[in-house]
Amino acid sequence: MNFKKLFFPSIDILDFVALGLLIYSFYIKFYPFIFIFLLHVFVYRLSFSFGEGRINKFIKFTNLQNYKVSGLLKKTLYIIAWSLIIAFVVLKFNQSTNYIVTLFLPIALAIAVACKECILAVNFLIEKGLFNALLLNEKFYLLKGTQPAPDWYFLEAANMAGNYSEEHFPSYELAKKASKKYQKEAQKNGKKYTEIIYEQRCLPKGVYFIGDPLEVIDDYENKEKWQPEKNDVLQLEDDTYFAIFKAALGPGEYPDETGNKYYTKSGDIIIYPLSLLDEEKCWNLSDKNKAQIFNFKYAVDVGYDRQTVGSIDCGSVLIFTGEDRWIE
């Protein structure tokens, strides 16, 4: 079990089923099972259990934020897949078989049924090579508890409109959809419209606790269970977003721009959904001006070192953890 966890963390029960089919295929000399096994290893596992959220996390993990499958590859693979499926059906109807069509039928079915994920996996194999693709896949599964969260997309037109509406979107498609609305408004008023959309690190709207994680997370000192990256927006396995930062000057008390205080014994400052913590403990810390609670009505961009060295900003909140600071 330790060997599995150390070297093959992505192995699950389906891998043993696929391996059993491979062995059985040699025993009964039914070689299409070999291709089913290859399909499982090179497509199923590399498409990360066919989950779009998991694919997005993997893309973020590999720093391939602009990773896209070419339109030509999509069309080519999709045409080949459906051609093989149709050929297989026609051959069966004519009570005949073709060895090549039969062998490649499982892969064709996978591309037809789960087109997006399978094609992405195939493209990833082409770009990275088999060894690097499998190695990155295993490293991805080694991540414990937290992973870098996907980027959000900032629409400048929504920000410039000044109508206190959402200006950060969890996907590029949603940002483009909102952009079209502002484009129509600009054209209606005879104004020139320039679309500006770019990626930002964001937290979704909600009520957040900002303070020392050591005070509100019971097992925070357990580094085997809780070892998140610092100075970034992260995501739990249940897709919960949060952010954590290292105070530039270590443990101590730090002010924000309006004079609120944030005391940290651990030297870390976390921005975490209040509903997932002991709310009474969080409010007690807030009442003592050792931590703060904010209700963000819209998604907020989050950053580090943007205003001054060691500064943490989350929407309208700006915390100084370095030597340079100012108070309103």
Side-chain angles (χ1 to χ4, degrees):
M1 182 61 72
N2 290 334
F3 179 81
K4 169 194 173 301
K5 288 183 178 178
L6 183 61
F7 296 103
F8 304 105
S10 68
I11 287 179
D12 57 23
I13 188 65
L14 286 173
D15 290 290
F16 291 102
V17 171
L19 183 61
L21 283 174
L22 177 65
I23 295 171
Y24 186 64
S25 70
F26 283 105
Y27 178 73
I28 65 173
K29 297 181 180 180
F30 186 68
Y31 297 114
F33 274 155
I34 298 173
F35 280 78
I36 294 174
F37 176 77
L38 294 176
L39 171 68
H40 172 79
V41 173
F42 301 143
V43 179
Y44 174 79
R45 291 181 69 210
L46 283 178
S47 59
F48 324 116
S49 302
F50 297 122
E52 185 173 355
R54 198 158 180 78
I55 288 174
N56 290 334
K57 290 178 185 177
F58 181 82
I59 291 172
K60 180 64 183 176
F61 165 72
T62 54
N63 294 318
L64 297 171
Q65 288 92 336
N66 297 317
Y67 188 69
K68 289 183 173 58
V69 179
S70 70
L72 180 61
L73 180 63
K74 282 183 182 178
K75 290 178 181 178
T76 302
L77 288 177
Y78 209 52
I79 289 172
I80 292 173
W82 276 108
S83 297
L84 286 168
I85 293 168
I86 293 169
F88 181 81
V89 172
V90 170
L91 287 169
K92 283 294 181 184
F93 184 78
N94 292 329
Q95 297 184 340
S96 61
T97 58
N98 180 283
Y99 190 68
I100 295 176
V101 172
T102 304
L103 283 177
F104 284 99
L105 180 65
I107 296 175
L109 286 170
I111 292 175
V113 174
C115 179
K116 178 181 177 182
E117 291 79 7
C118 286
I119 291 177
L120 189 147
V122 170
N123 191 58
F124 186 66
L125 280 169
I126 292 171
E127 291 194 9
K128 288 293 179 182
L130 175 60
F131 179 77
N132 286 335
L134 289 173
L135 184 64
L136 282 169
N137 185 52
E138 296 306 317
K139 284 184 177 180
F140 174 68
Y141 274 91
L142 277 171
L143 292 174
K144 296 179 180 179
T146 61
Q147 301 169 21
D151 284 322
W152 284 47
Y153 295 85
F154 174 76
L155 177 61
E156 187 177 87
N159 176 263
M160 297 298 291
N163 54 4
Y164 302 102
S165 61
E166 191 63 82
E167 55 194 51
H168 297 94
F169 301 88
S171 71
Y172 183 74
E173 290 74 19
L174 289 174
K176 286 285 290 185
K177 184 177 180 180
S179 179
K180 289 180 180 179
K181 181 185 74 173
Y182 288 101
Q183 183 181 27
K184 289 179 180 178
E185 290 180 2
Q187 291 174 345
K188 184 179 179 180
N189 297 323
K191 297 179 180 179
K192 183 181 178 182
Y193 178 79
T194 303
E195 181 179 84
I196 300 176
I197 299 174
Y198 54 86
E199 296 170 348
Q200 280 193 335
R201 309 297 286 146
C202 288
L203 291 171
K205 67 179 181 179
V207 182
Y208 288 86
F209 167 85
I210 305 180
D212 186 1
L214 193 61
E215 296 283 353
V216 293
I217 297 176
D218 294 335
D219 59 351
Y220 188 69
E221 291 181 304
N222 182 354
K223 298 304 178 185
E224 290 186 3
K225 183 177 180 182
W226 187 269
Q227 47 182 349
E229 299 177 29
K230 303 295 192 298
N231 305 335
D232 200 1
V233 180
L234 304 173
Q235 193 176 38
L236 300 174
E237 290 184 351
D238 63 0
D239 294 334
T240 298
Y241 282 72
F242 72 100
I244 189 165
F245 300 94
K246 198 81 177 172
L249 299 179
E253 186 177 79
Y254 300 101
D256 67 18
E257 194 177 19
T258 61
N260 293 321
K261 299 292 179 62
Y262 305 82
Y263 175 77
T264 172
K265 193 190 318 184
S266 66
D268 298 336
I269 293 177
I270 200 166
I271 308 173
Y272 206 84
L274 179 66
S275 60
L276 300 180
L277 300 171
D278 184 330
E279 295 191 24
E280 183 178 353
K281 187 182 292 186
C282 293
W283 281 110
N284 285 337
L285 289 168
S286 177
D287 292 340
K288 294 175 182 178
N289 204 24
K290 290 186 174 183
Q292 306 301 326
I293 294 171
F294 292 92
N295 183 5
F296 299 116
K297 295 183 178 180
Y298 303 101
V300 291
D301 68 305
V302 182
Y304 188 72
D305 279 345
R306 296 198 297 193
Q307 306 296 327
T308 63
V309 175
S311 66
I312 301 167
D313 55 296
C314 177
S316 59
V317 181
L318 177 59
I319 306 169
F320 302 101
T321 72
E323 294 180 355
D324 295 334
R325 59 188 67 175
W326 66 82
I327 306 293
E328 286 184 350

